[in-house]
Every structure is written in structure tokens, then in C-alpha cells.
Amino acid sequence: METRISDLLGLIFRFPAPWILTGAGISTESGIPDFRSPGTGLWEKMDPMEFASVEGLRRNPRAFFTHGRETIDTILNAKPNTGHIVLGHLQQARLIGPIVTQNVDDLHRRGGAIHYYEVHGHFRTASCMSCRNQVPISEVVNQVDRDQIPPVCGYCGGILKPDVILFGDMMPADYQEASLLASRYQYIPKLMIVIGSSLTVSPVNYLPLEFNRIAIINNTPTPMDYKADLVLRQQIGQVMGALWDEILALNDGKAPEPLPYGFNFGHLIAYLDNEMRFLAGQKTRTTASKESLARHAGYIKADLEAAQSIIQAFPADDRQPLEKAMLQFYLAEIERMKKEFASWCSETGIEPNAEQSRFSKLLQDNFKDNVNAFLTYTDETEPLPDLVEHFAACAAGCFGFWSFSNRIMGQPLPPQEEWENFKKRANDHRVEQDLDQILKLFSL
Ligand SMILES: [Zn+2]
């Protein structure tokens, strides 16, 4: 078990801020039944078309709302378990990115998550099926308890339906938002960790395809196991609890402070890890000519050297123990990849060209991706202020890291006007924090 937890933590370090996709499996430990588990799943006992479809609601509202009332009770009484709580901690520490959940139980929010997408909706509110008027779920509960079935809208008398997705419904805006945001990041290889989902419900099961790497924690096999870098078939609470213990151990027993914006050393490792995987695949192929392989290997050689210098140059003395441990991990990863690289060269007999590292271009592209992610949120008519601030800070961190890396590599500093343009846009969108402050992490 321990080695597998270390493998999971290694993936999280190597592919920074991985996205999380959760399904019913994470909430069964909170007493919420999984719809699809053989033998115990809710749908083994009842017909989903009756209790979970728009058609069923219209045909037999009494059956729908009587069952729905029980579900609401189960959910309101459920408490977040270790899985939810650890994800909340990890997100607040900026060790993971957004959480996409298929669950409607509100347990990520209640478990401390701050950035999540509820792609199947939630039970906090209900909306009128005729005029879209939205009310708190208590309105539905009160009416049902007074035997007002179906519960109706105070404005127009239309049926009030909880804001969860039923068969026959459109996907909520959260789904489009999550897919759009995931597609914004193109240059740094990215990881999705699937937790407690059987990956059989579309369209959500397509989301992992946006990611270069997948890890899966689920107690039954999924159709994507064959693509995954890591599959853990264990209790989710147990895995997440052990993962958090390992993080605490690396941080002298203390819960970590959020990683500073721009602490992006893992991006270099993610990129190199992907490049090394590409190179390994070239052994058996004959299509790539020796010349182009020698050039490609030359870039990787230069990138490995550059990554090592950049990480070693970072003034880490005052950083928290977790960050120091991460930097040590990255240096060890570079050593591992250098060895692999050397044996690849001797096996193939290819002599790498002398090339310059591609990191400057990569980090520039990554800065642009992050500015675009930030602009995704400012495009919304009702942006979530916290997320706008967060994405602006991420983009600023990317600029800082890019500048720092170029300085260490002896390459020209990023154009100051790129920074000024970004700050102007942030200002136009009423970003309040001091973005220049974020660059101070890298002042030598
Ligand atoms: Zn209405």
C-alpha cells in the first residue's frame, strides 16, 4: 500500500495541480448509495426512468417526489468523509486543481473544496420547469411535507424540480465550463485523477481524454484502466487518508501552507517525463530518421540540464519543508531521466545534437494558456470573484517562473510589455491583488 501511495503522490508532484474527477464511489463512505454498484446500487431496486427522468416526473409526480424526498434527506444528513476532506485540504494547499464531480451531494463544498464543477447538478436549489425561477431546496421539502405534490412555483404555478440532472435534461453550465477550462491548458502535460467513478456515464467519461495522463482510484475496473499510469483498487478514504499522512510527514507533521503561485518546477518535470516517454517509444520504430531523432534527443538533453540548473538555483532556504521535499523529488526525477536518456542513447547508438533548451518557449506558451484560463472566467457575466483572483495569480506566477527560468538559462528576459498588457487586462477585470508581489518569489 505505502509504495502505491508514494506513486500517487509522485504523480501529483510530477504533473502539478492535477484535475480530479469524482463519482459515486467517493460518497458511499458517507452513506450515500452508489446508483450503479451491482447488488447494492439504487438502480438495482428501482427503475431509473421512473425516479430519475423528466418523463417519470411528469407521468407520476407522487412517486418521483416521495422518492426524491428520501434522497434529499439522505443527502442533507450525510457528512463529508476522509476522501472529501483530504481533497479539500489538497485544493486549499494548491496541490490539486479543479474537482469535477458527478455527485449531487454537495459533499465536496462541505468538505472544504473551493473550485469544483457539479456536472450532474446539486440538491441545494430547485428551479421552476416553466419560468426557471430558482428557490432553495427547503421550498420543495416544505411543500412535499404539506402534501403539495408536485411542489409548484410561486410565480407561475409550474413544477419545481431540484437542480439535478435527470434523464432527458441538458447538461448544466458547469459541464461546459469544466470542459472549456480543461481545453485551455495545452502545453504542459496534465494529469486527471479519477476517484470512485466507473467512467461509464457520458459525456463526463470523455473528460479524461482531455488529459495526457490518468490515475484511477476505484474499487472496480473501469474502461480506462488500460490507459492509466496508476490504478488503485482500494477504499478511497483509506487511500486519501494515507496520502495526506504522507504529505504531513514531508512537512514536519504540519498541514502545508498553500504552494506559492509560480512554484512551477513540476511543469518542467511533466514536460520531460512526456518527452522521455516519447523517446522510449522510438526504439522500436523505424519511421523517424536518425537525424531527426538526434535533434530531438539534443533538445531533451538540453532540457534536462536546464531543468536541473533552474531547480538548483531556486532560493529554497526559507521555504516550507514540503516545498524543499518537492524540489528534492524533482532533482531525483531528473537523475532518473538522465540515466534513462543515457541508456537510450547507447542502445540506439544515437548521438544527441547540440541544441538549446526549449523551456523559454514552453513557459511563454504556458503563460499564455494561463492568461486565457483567466480570461475564460472574466468572460462570464457573473464571474466568481475568488476564481478570477486565483486565475490571475496563476498567470502572474507563470510569468515569474518564466522570467526566473530564462535568467538562469542565460536567455533574454520575457518582454516587459507582455507583463504590462496582462496587468492592464487584470485591472480591467477588477483584479484586486498586487500581482507584482507574486513575482517577488523569484527575486534573487
Ligand atoms: Zn415559475
Side-chain angles (χ1 to χ4, degrees):
M1 170 95 170
E2 262 100 64
T3 36
R4 323 248 34 221
I5 297 299
S6 300
D7 291 347
L8 177 61
L9 187 59
L11 277 174
I12 293 174
F13 286 171
R14 212 180 296 141
F15 296 91
W19 284 47
I20 309 292
L21 173 63
T22 66
I26 194 171
S27 292
T28 51
E29 290 169 50
S30 292
I32 297 174
D34 178 352
F35 290 105
R36 290 173 187 78
S37 289
T40 57
L42 271 184
W43 289 355
E44 294 280 303
K45 296 174 201 145
M46 53 180 74
D47 174 10
M49 283 328 213
E50 198 66 27
F51 299 97
S53 75
V54 177
E55 207 191 314
L57 184 157
R58 290 195 192 277
R59 197 171 47 228
N60 189 351
R62 182 155 294 274
F64 179 91
F65 280 100
T66 308
H67 167 64
R69 179 72 184 81
E70 282 172 32
T71 308
I72 292 170
D73 260 352
T74 308
I75 283 174
L76 291 180
N77 291 328
K79 291 191 171 51
N81 64 53
T82 308
H84 302 106
I85 292 168
V86 169
L87 287 176
H89 291 334
L90 293 175
Q91 199 174 54
Q92 290 179 26
R94 299 194 197 115
L95 284 160
I96 60 168
I99 298 169
V100 179
T101 186
Q102 298 172 277
N103 301 336
V104 296
D105 53 30
D106 200 27
L107 292 179
H108 284 301
R109 187 185 65 85
R110 284 159 56 199
I114 38 187
H115 185 189
Y116 51 85
Y117 298 97
E118 294 164 309
V119 295
H120 289 169
H122 56 77
F123 270 110
R124 290 187 296 279
T125 53
S127 295
C128 170
M129 292 175 77
S130 304
C131 76
R132 309 310 305 161
N133 170 42
Q134 198 179 51
V135 298
I137 198 70
S138 56
E139 179 65 32
V140 169
V141 170
N142 293 340
Q143 290 198 36
V144 171
D145 289 353
R146 290 200 312 268
D147 209 31
Q148 169 58 55
I149 293 176
V152 289
C153 169
Y155 290 113
C156 77
I159 298 175
L160 290 175
K161 182 185 88 71
D163 288 330
V164 294
I165 296 304
L166 304 178
F167 290 99
D169 269 327
M170 302 265 288
M171 289 298 276
D174 267 29
Y175 176 73
Q176 330 297 343
E177 234 175 78
S179 332
L180 178 65
L181 186 65
S183 71
R184 291 291 197 217
Y185 301 99
Q186 292 296 332
Y187 291 96
I188 305 290
K190 52 195 177 180
L191 167 71
M192 173 167 261
I193 305 177
V194 179
I195 304 177
S197 171
S198 53
L199 291 175
T200 49
V201 181
S202 82
V204 177
N205 58 345
Y206 293 109
L207 202 57
L209 301 174
E210 272 288 335
F211 291 76
N212 309 71
R213 303 293 179 91
I214 308 172
I216 296 174
I217 310 168
N218 197 48
N219 54 13
T220 53
T222 82
M224 296 235 187
D225 286 4
Y226 78 99
K227 282 188 76 142
D229 276 33
L230 180 70
V231 177
L232 293 176
R233 223 161 268 156
Q234 281 147 338
Q235 283 297 308
I236 293 162
Q238 215 182 348
V239 170
M240 299 309 285
L243 178 69
W244 185 244
D245 286 345
E246 194 149 326
I247 290 170
L248 289 178
L250 290 179
N251 204 45
D252 290 354
K254 284 201 291 272
E257 295 292 320
L259 295 180
Y261 288 109
F263 192 82
N264 293 352
F265 303 95
H267 287 168
L268 308 179
I269 305 300
Y271 184 78
L272 279 164
D273 193 277
N274 233 35
E275 287 292 292
M276 290 301 297
R277 179 174 280 198
F278 165 80
L279 210 57
Q282 297 306 312
K283 261 187 260 186
T284 49
R285 285 180 212 162
T286 49
T287 41
S289 74
K290 279 210 157 194
E291 255 172 62
S292 85
L293 268 183
R295 192 168 62 241
H296 201 108
Y299 285 128
I300 295 177
K301 188 172 184 225
D303 292 339
L304 281 164
E305 293 301 333
Q308 192 172 34
S309 320
I310 292 165
I311 294 167
Q312 282 170 343
F314 181 67
D317 288 353
D318 299 333
R319 306 309 313 169
Q320 61 180 333
L322 176 66
E323 289 162 42
K324 290 180 190 168
M326 289 172 78
L327 294 168
Q328 288 312 311
F329 174 85
Y330 294 145
L331 289 173
E333 283 290 288
I334 291 171
E335 285 305 323
R336 167 184 69 82
M337 290 189 278
K338 277 186 167 178
K339 283 200 190 97
E340 280 175 28
F341 183 78
S343 47
W344 181 86
C345 289
S346 67
E347 275 169 45
T348 56
I350 285 171
E351 186 70 34
N353 288 4
E355 301 286 353
Q356 195 176 45
S357 165
R358 296 159 296 180
F359 282 152
S360 180
K361 175 76 169 69
L362 178 76
L363 297 176
Q364 176 174 26
D365 290 335
N366 186 43
F367 170 62
K368 286 181 180 157
D369 276 356
N370 276 268
V371 172
N372 283 334
F374 160 67
L375 293 172
T376 306
Y377 269 86
T378 54
D379 287 346
E380 295 286 305
T381 44
E382 250 181 284
L384 301 163
D386 291 353
L387 278 188
V388 171
E389 294 284 335
H390 170 71
F391 282 110
C394 287
C398 288
F399 190 88
F401 186 66
W402 174 25
S403 311
F404 174 77
S405 301
N406 276 18
R407 200 183 319 145
I408 302 307
M409 292 187 291
Q411 296 196 21
L413 290 184
Q416 191 61 23
E417 62 179 292
E418 289 227 29
W419 178 244
E420 296 302 332
N421 283 343
F422 163 64
K423 277 205 296 185
K424 191 181 165 302
R425 290 173 111 165
N427 199 37
D428 291 346
H429 294 292
R430 300 178 305 281
V431 168
E432 285 176 358
Q433 65 194 310
D434 180 358
L435 295 171
D436 285 302
Q437 182 67 32
I438 291 170
L439 304 189
K440 296 228 167 90
L441 177 68
F442 297 107
S443 45
L444 286 168

